[in-house]
């Protein structure tokens, strides 16, 4: 019940915030920013949040592990956030079959008009279709990096947002998308190719058409994907730069300030089809922080990508720490 009351309030507040009156305040802004105390992001805590997910096993939609993980995510997020929404949806996967999914949304200061979206996908891929051993191509993956890493960072962010509340005028929505990674196997991709249909990012496509709050608007979004590998290479992903260059600049500038130049490069990365595309197409400027490895054997991502090796043994808490620290610095200084 309470959820729906808050929903209605949020709509009213959003509707009434057309203009703002800023004159003398601008000058003080920089000074204020310096005085914000940013809480300490723990890479080890984020790592535990990643491990808790992989301990369920592969989180493939419509499996028990997936359902149990959803329950855990909702329970933990309910401890931290003001409101948690579970958006159940039914969609169509690449082969035409129907499938159920759940987007999980944790809102902080749901009444605030100025909002930031932080997102990741929480499902894991049903097919290890880039595994060196062809016998594994139908085997689901743990998705420690591909899925759980971004969620782990966002769970630690949520813990901090509870511990040290954000400015009351700033709202954050952590959105965990389902069914990002149910695209067809690489060796069958042509068979299922349809220029009008994106077989990936199904939860994000659904949410973009049916946001959890009618008429939902946000200032910008940040997607985290594969943020847990060792020695990451975060290039300025092509669509992020094309759709949301201001957000890329803001985040990369902060990464430089924090001393992360070796990992947040100025290189313009390859275009990646990911959860940020439907959001950008719906008008929400969203960047993708994603580990791009154009020299790897798959040509795009870390070596373990879509193999059985994408497990907890290949997660580096230092990378989680760097990305998480960057996110909290961006958010608390907003
Ligand atoms: C494709 O390769 C179609 N998408 C890359 C985005 C992705 C997949 N992220 C995680 N898994
Ligand atoms: Zn994937």
């Amino acid at each position: 019940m309470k959820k729906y009351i808050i929903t209605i309030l949020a709509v009213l507040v959003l509707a009434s915030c057309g203009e703002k009156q800023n004159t003398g305040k601008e000058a003080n802004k920089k000074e204020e920013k310096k005085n914000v105390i940013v809480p300490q992001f723990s890479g080890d805590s984020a790592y535990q949040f990643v491990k808790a997910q992989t301990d369920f096993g592969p989180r493939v939609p419509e499996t028990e592990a997936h359902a149990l993980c959803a329950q855990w995510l909702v329970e933990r997020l309910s401890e931290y956030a003001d409101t948690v929404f579970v958006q159940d949806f039914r969609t169509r996967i690449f082969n035409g079959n129907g499938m159920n999914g759940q987007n999980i949304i944790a809102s902080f200061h749901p009444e605030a008009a100025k909002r930031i979206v932080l997102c990741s996908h929480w499902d894991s891929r049903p097919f290890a279709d880039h595994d060196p051993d062809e016998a594994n191509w139908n085997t689901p993956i743990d998705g420690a990096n591909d899925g759980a890493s971004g969620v782990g960072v966002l769970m630690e962010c949520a813990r901090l947002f509870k511990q040290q509340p954000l400015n009351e005028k700033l709202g954050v929505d952590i959105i965990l998308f389902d069914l990002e990674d149910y695209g067809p196997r690489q060796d069958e991709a042509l068979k299922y190719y349809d220029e009008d249909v994106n077989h990936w990012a199904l939860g994000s496509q659904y949410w973009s058409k049916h946001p959890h709050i009618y008429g939902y608007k946000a200032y910008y979004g940040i997607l985290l994907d594969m943020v847990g590998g060792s020695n990451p290479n975060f290039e300025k992903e092509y669509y992020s730069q094309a759709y949301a260059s201001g957000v890329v600049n803001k985040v990369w500038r902060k990464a430089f300030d924090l001393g992360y130049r070796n990992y947040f490069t100025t290189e313009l990365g390859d275009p990646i089809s990911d959860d940020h595309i439907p959001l950008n197409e719906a008008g929400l400027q969203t960047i993708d922080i994603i580990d791009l490895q154009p020299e790897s054997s798959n040509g795009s991502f870390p070596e373990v990508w879509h193999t059985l090796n994408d497990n907890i043994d290949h997660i580096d808490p230092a990378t989680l720490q760097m990305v998480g620290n960057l996110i909290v610095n961006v958010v608390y200084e907003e």
Side-chain angles (χ1 to χ4, degrees), residues 34 62 69 74 76 111 114 144 176 192 200 203 273 326:
K34 281 180 193 154
E62 296 191 349
C69 185
V74 170
R76 296 310 299 267
E111 71 289 352
K114 180 178 179 179
L176 308 181
Y192 293 108
W200 304 79
S273 173
L326 172 59

Side-chain angles (χ1 to χ4, degrees), residues 33-327:
K33 280 185 180 179
K34 281 180 193 154
N35 294 331
V36 173
I37 296 159
V38 179
Q40 188 54 51
F41 186 96
S42 166
D44 291 327
S45 174
Y47 179 89
Q48 292 306 321
F49 282 126
V50 175
K51 183 168 185 301
Q53 293 169 76
T54 56
D55 282 349
F56 287 107
R59 283 85 59 220
V60 172
E62 296 191 349
T63 67
E64 192 186 8
H66 182 269
L68 290 173
C69 185
Q71 197 177 12
W72 174 79
L73 289 167
V74 170
E75 270 171 27
R76 296 310 299 267
L77 287 171
S78 298
E79 293 172 25
Y80 304 141
D82 296 314
T83 314
V84 177
F85 302 79
V86 177
Q87 181 178 59
D88 287 288
F89 62 94
R90 188 164 175 83
T91 188
R92 211 174 271 284
I93 59 168
F94 63 90
N95 59 12
N97 288 350
M99 189 156 292
N100 297 318
Q102 290 91 38
N103 292 328
I104 298 167
I105 301 130
S107 297
F108 296 82
H109 298 170
E111 71 289 352
K114 180 178 179 179
R115 314 199 62 75
I116 296 172
V117 167
L118 303 175
C119 53
S120 271
H121 74 93
W122 73 275
D123 61 310
S124 64
R125 184 155 175 75
F127 318 118
D129 55 337
H130 281 79
D131 200 273
D133 184 350
E134 188 174 341
N136 295 327
W137 286 1
N138 274 330
T139 306
I141 66 170
D142 281 350
N145 198 20
D146 190 355
S149 67
V151 173
V153 166
L154 295 182
M155 295 297 283
E156 171 64 1
C157 287
R159 189 181 72 79
L160 296 178
F161 297 160
K162 170 77 175 184
Q163 184 184 292
Q164 186 179 318
L166 300 159
N167 183 313
E168 60 176 21
K169 289 190 170 9
L170 180 66
V172 170
D173 298 294
I174 291 177
I175 310 185
L176 308 181
F177 293 117
D178 202 356
L179 277 160
E180 187 276 337
D181 231 347
Y182 222 114
R185 270 170 40 172
Q186 170 71 17
D187 57 310
E188 297 182 331
L190 274 179
K191 179 168 126 189
Y192 293 108
Y193 181 76
D194 179 340
E195 62 174 353
D196 297 324
V197 180
N198 177 5
H199 296 313
W200 304 79
L202 301 177
S204 157
Q205 291 185 57
Y206 184 87
W207 182 85
S208 297
K209 286 202 191 80
H210 311 277
H212 62 293
I213 288 175
Y214 183 80
Y216 179 84
K217 294 269 182 298
Y219 183 31
Y220 63 83
I222 301 175
L223 170 65
L224 304 180
D225 195 3
M226 296 189 267
V227 294
S230 278
N231 199 19
N233 182 50
F234 298 116
E235 299 178 354
K236 297 177 170 180
E237 183 274 328
Y238 181 88
Y239 292 122
S240 306
Q241 183 67 29
Y243 277 113
S245 60
V247 185
V248 172
N249 288 342
K250 180 202 288 271
V251 173
W252 257 248
R253 189 171 300 135
K254 179 57 68 182
F256 278 33
D257 289 349
L258 292 168
Y260 302 154
R261 281 172 192 264
N262 290 344
Y263 304 103
F264 285 79
T265 75
T266 53
E267 213 72 38
L268 180 64
D270 288 337
I272 302 299
S273 173
D274 207 343
D275 284 332
H276 64 318
I277 302 299
L279 273 55
N280 279 301
E281 287 175 343
L284 170 47
Q285 289 198 9
T286 304
I287 66 165
D288 191 6
I289 299 181
I290 183 166
D291 189 359
L292 295 180
Q293 303 283 346
E295 304 302 320
S296 83
S297 59
N298 61 57
S300 304
F301 305 120
E303 283 297 335
V304 300
W305 179 69
H306 292 185
T307 76
L308 295 187
N309 277 328
D310 184 3
N311 57 36
I312 194 70
D313 298 339
H314 296 95
I315 294 297
D316 186 343
T319 303
L320 302 172
Q321 156 73 34
M322 172 170 67
V323 174
N325 189 43
L326 172 59
I327 297 301

Side-chain angles (χ1 to χ4, degrees), residues 11-32:
V11 171
L12 291 174
V13 171
L14 277 170
S16 66
C17 287
E19 74 233 282
K20 47 184 169 193
Q21 56 279 72
N22 267 353
T23 39
K25 284 184 188 169
E26 279 305 321
N28 292 328
K29 261 192 180 167
K30 283 219 164 72
E31 209 48 49
E32 276 173 33

